[in-house]
Amino acid sequence: MGRAALRIRLLGGAVLAATAVAGVLTLGAGTATRPLYKDASQPVPKRVADLLARMTLAEKVWQMTQVDKGFLSADADITKYRLGSLLSGGGSVPVPNEPAAWVAMTDAYQRAALKTRLGIPLIYGIDAVHGHNNVIGATIFPHNIGLGVTRDAALVRKIGRATAEEVAGTGIRWTFAPCVCVARNIRWGRTYESFSDEPKVASALGAAYVAGFQGPKLGGSPTSILATAKHYVADGGTDKGVNTGDASLSDKQVRSIYLPPFTAAVKQGVGSVMTSFSSIQGEKMHASTHWVTDVLKGELGFKGFVISDWAGVAQIDGDGSLYSFEDVDKGIDAGIDMVMVPQAYQLFQAVLTNEIQKGHIKRSRIDDAVRRILTVKFQLGLFEHPFADRAATKTIGSKAHRALARQAVRESLVLLKNAGHVLPLKKGQRIFVAGKNADDVGAQSGGWTITWQGSTGPITPGTSILQGLKQVAGKGARIDYSLDGRGAKGHDVAIAVLGEGPYAESNGDRPDDYGLNLDAADDVVISNLRKAHIPIVVVLVSGRPLVVTRELPSLKALVAAWLPGTEGAGVADVLFGRVKPTGKLARVWPRSAAQAALAPGEPGALFPYGFGLSYR
Ligand code: BGC
Ligand code: BGC
């Protein structure tokens, strides 16, 4: 449905909503001078109970509503409706996209929320999935696929902490991360958001990320941010690796492969969990009382709140992004506490209100949802510290954070082949660099960088791999470059930085076998380099293992660099032997596209799970 048509239907919803709100407001009771919920010395459950008892149905419904800031018809709607939450989806950024503008924007939204009758602060969410990646100038860390290789929980915890500081520095206290998915088919476009195809790695590193984001205690410091374990559950287990698809898995398979990272995150105290767009045995996760209420909240004892995915509730009845009664009944009944609407907010609240008033959704379910949301808001300290932490703003893209990212890059590389010890590079060598990903900060950062899909080019300050090589080699070193590999003659060694361009979510799905191969441009680079008769080292920048079986014999060395982020010098550190490679594959590397879903431990991989060479 086009946007114009949607608008007309929304306006109807808006009129309805405004009337309801006005009625409630005139009935609203006066409040005491210092209500208990505003007293920080009171225990959180008491504050929640006190506040909940003061709230009207409309206020509760809006507390459960999350809107993308880009879809606000007017900023005044925050006050008018008493919105509970805003988000920035991928690329939903202020103009100009710089820290000061983020601070001004989130503070202004917060002021609008605090003007309401009860003054409940907003909670603002964003996808800080590899650093504060929507913000130009933020530190971009390796995507999870690279972090999995490190097996370094202490490192991941530090990355979580650094990211939390940068996020809090823009007035945001909630990240939709970590993705604790176990990607079991590399055709899936979100494979790079997965630490590993082994649940134990996803569990350990996911929990470490949660500990880093939230700190020892949720709200224990002004830079403690709420983490989100996503996407619950079995997003990485869909048939043929189709994004948002159906997973024909048994209960036992879900429990043994896909559930453990959520169990670990809950144990770590994760404050929110996001449901998956995908289904299990035909049942949408957004409508699954079994998985959301019985298993997550019941069995695992999850005490935080469940956030839907982007219009995930609207998709329940299978007709796309409009909210129907069926969608809202099923989603809220299943146990979703806050709905990432993210656009049709008046319509959503009108439908939800109607369903409650008709008795189709129990008021106790609404109270439970709001109680969970308010609990987290109190725990985070939002009532006491609603505005951006200026001290943290200075940490955005700081030297210390970039040094940490560079360390993560070094640890995330996997040396897959090193014939004749061509690596490390030697002093005095004439080095030729080639390939589309050699000098491109956008490409090496991948999707979810500045925009939702990411893009090639100098999209944010950082060090490309080529720049990193030049830096580490130092003055006087001879490093030449061409995009297509021509001009390599006369050099001692060639480094071809090849692989994938940026993508996110379904755009990254590769249903066709050729989509897992090197592309035509990369083939040209290799064939041009071969004409120079010098050793060829390939560095792969990609969000998944690619099928390189055919090319491998003509290469002296192969390094998997995944999606390293802004600190390309970390790649150079390893290539020059400043540090030895320590990374071990955290997923199997297939020999052919037929092995796209090869499980760890199954025979026949080109490189098995756990493989990784080092230097002498
Ligand atoms: C993605 C989530 C993300 C959300 C908000 C969805 O499309 O599946 O991972 O957190 O958008 O950007
Ligand atoms: C948003 C993303 C979101 C996606 C969902 C995009 O428009 O920017 O954040 O994940 O839609 O389809």
Side-chain angles (χ1 to χ4, degrees):
M1 163 157 316
R3 217 161 142 192
L6 186 68
R7 277 244 173 264
I8 294 162
R9 297 184 57 169
L10 285 184
L11 281 177
V15 173
L16 212 153
T19 346
V21 165
V24 161
L25 272 182
T26 49
L27 293 177
T31 44
T33 33
R34 187 177 163 78
L36 185 148
Y37 75 91
K38 291 204 168 160
D39 180 353
S41 70
Q42 295 289 335
V44 168
K46 273 193 154 180
R47 299 179 75 185
V48 171
D50 178 68
L51 178 51
L52 194 65
R54 296 168 192 269
M55 291 172 79
T56 63
L57 180 62
E59 283 165 338
K60 290 176 186 175
V61 165
W62 283 110
Q63 228 8 255
M64 297 168 66
T65 305
Q66 186 185 53
V67 177
D68 187 291
K69 71 108 187 157
F71 293 133
L72 279 173
S73 312
D75 291 3
D77 279 4
I78 296 169
T79 319
K80 180 171 160 197
Y81 297 124
R82 292 147 298 170
L83 256 184
S85 180
L86 285 174
L87 88 144
S88 275
S92 185
V93 301
V95 181
N97 181 357
E98 59 188 32
W102 282 88
V103 169
M105 177 184 80
T106 54
D107 278 2
Y109 290 149
Q110 194 63 287
R111 275 194 299 274
L114 297 177
K115 271 198 277 187
T116 55
R117 184 178 75 98
L118 295 167
I120 306 174
L122 284 171
I123 182 163
Y124 200 108
I126 197 162
D127 297 281
V129 301
H130 62 145
H132 197 3
N133 45 66
N134 282 287
V135 180
I136 292 180
T139 312
I140 306 298
F141 293 92
H143 268 298
N144 288 354
I145 194 169
L147 297 183
V149 161
T150 72
R151 310 292 200 287
D152 189 344
L155 173 77
V156 171
R157 186 166 33 72
K158 284 186 205 156
I159 292 173
R161 199 78 292 284
T163 302
E165 288 176 2
E166 299 202 11
V167 170
T170 56
I172 298 175
R173 300 290 300 283
W174 182 11
T175 176
F176 306 128
C179 181
V180 296
C181 56
V182 176
R184 278 286 171 104
N185 189 326
I186 63 163
R187 292 185 189 278
W188 188 34
R190 307 191 80 155
T191 299
Y192 66 79
E193 296 187 59
S194 171
F195 294 109
S196 174
D197 57 15
E198 279 284 14
K200 59 173 193 271
V201 178
S203 300
L205 299 187
Y209 234 143
V210 171
F213 287 136
Q214 299 192 353
K217 191 178 150 231
L218 186 61
S221 83
T223 61
S224 162
I225 67 169
L226 176 65
T228 307
K230 73 184 188 184
H231 308 81
Y232 184 80
V233 57
D235 53 348
T238 61
D239 303 347
K240 299 184 177 160
V242 171
N243 190 43
T244 79
D246 185 48
S248 13
L249 297 166
S250 68
D251 206 71
K252 202 176 148 203
Q253 286 170 311
V254 176
R255 285 173 181 276
S256 62
I257 302 170
Y258 304 97
L259 192 61
F262 290 94
T263 310
V266 170
K267 267 203 193 125
Q268 189 56 240
V270 72
S272 78
V273 170
M274 187 187 293
T275 37
S276 177
F277 283 134
S278 58
S279 309
I280 298 177
Q281 304 247 18
E283 184 189 41
K284 291 237 183 214
M285 283 302 97
H286 280 77
S288 177
T289 305
H290 169 69
W291 288 109
V292 179
T293 295
D294 301 348
V295 177
L296 177 64
K297 292 179 174 177
E299 249 181 81
L300 305 190
F302 172 62
K303 293 284 179 284
F305 68 87
V306 174
I307 174 82
S308 82
D309 203 340
W310 181 275
V313 169
Q315 295 175 13
I316 290 174
D317 66 7
D319 83 343
S321 61
L322 275 185
Y323 284 89
S324 66
F325 297 137
E326 185 192 347
D327 289 332
V328 174
D329 283 2
K330 287 192 175 160
I332 304 301
D333 258 0
I336 290 169
D337 301 305
M338 186 188 281
V339 175
M340 188 187 289
V341 176
Q343 179 168 9
Y345 49 105
Q346 295 98 335
L347 174 65
F348 166 72
Q349 88 79 48
V351 175
L352 177 53
T353 306
N354 180 75
E355 290 306 275
I356 301 164
Q357 282 167 344
K358 289 240 167 83
H360 299 158
I361 297 175
K362 288 203 192 97
R363 296 205 183 228
S364 58
R365 175 74 267 278
I366 300 302
D367 284 348
D368 170 52
V370 177
R371 193 177 293 117
R372 286 169 178 270
I373 294 164
L374 294 177
T375 299
V376 167
K377 287 188 173 184
F378 280 117
Q379 286 172 335
L380 271 172
L382 285 173
F383 286 75
E384 288 70 42
H385 304 285
F387 298 113
D389 182 51
R390 262 75 180 171
T393 313
K394 293 183 205 103
T395 71
I396 296 172
S398 68
K399 263 196 169 161
H401 288 177
R402 288 182 188 274
L404 178 64
R406 182 169 173 172
Q407 181 198 342
V409 175
R410 291 183 195 132
E411 290 187 31
S412 68
L413 302 192
V414 186
L415 180 62
L416 294 168
K417 177 177 180 178
N418 194 18
H421 304 286
V422 61
L423 291 177
L425 300 169
K426 281 125 205 117
K427 272 233 141 55
Q429 275 180 327
R430 289 158 302 170
I431 298 167
F432 193 78
V433 179
K436 63 177 188 286
N437 290 342
D439 193 19
D440 195 319
V441 167
Q444 76 198 30
S445 298
W448 296 107
T449 313
I450 311 306
T451 55
W452 176 37
Q453 293 294 315
S455 61
T456 55
I459 57 173
T460 191
T463 307
S464 73
I465 293 172
L466 176 65
Q467 287 167 335
L469 286 166
K470 287 180 174 168
Q471 258 177 36
V472 171
K475 280 211 178 75
R478 179 159 165 211
I479 300 183
D480 298 308
Y481 164 78
S482 84
L483 183 64
D484 64 3
R486 276 186 293 188
K489 244 205 181 85
H491 293 77
D492 297 310
V493 59
I495 316 244
V497 189
L498 311 176
E500 295 184 313
Y503 53 78
E505 300 190 48
S506 301
N507 288 333
D509 280 5
R510 297 290 176 258
D512 297 317
D513 290 356
Y514 69 79
L516 298 174
N517 297 339
L518 291 185
D519 64 18
D522 286 352
D523 285 342
V524 167
V525 173
I526 293 180
S527 82
N528 282 337
L529 292 176
R530 285 179 68 176
K531 289 177 198 149
H533 301 290
I534 58 174
I536 303 172
V537 174
V538 163
V539 175
L540 271 188
V541 169
S542 62
R544 48 164 66 90
L546 294 173
V547 176
V548 291
T549 313
R550 192 169 48 93
E551 293 84 1
L552 195 60
S554 65
L555 313 179
K556 283 282 186 217
L558 177 64
V559 177
W562 315 107
L563 297 169
T566 48
E567 305 316 304
V571 176
D573 289 335
V574 172
L575 295 183
F576 276 106
R578 274 197 173 182
V579 293
K580 290 185 181 177
T582 51
K584 307 287 175 218
L585 285 181
R587 54 173 49 261
V588 295
W589 195 292
R591 189 177 292 278
S592 67
Q595 292 181 342
L598 196 70
E602 277 185 299
L606 184 64
F607 303 110
Y609 177 94
F611 185 81
L613 305 169
S614 193
Y615 301 149
R616 279 185 285 202

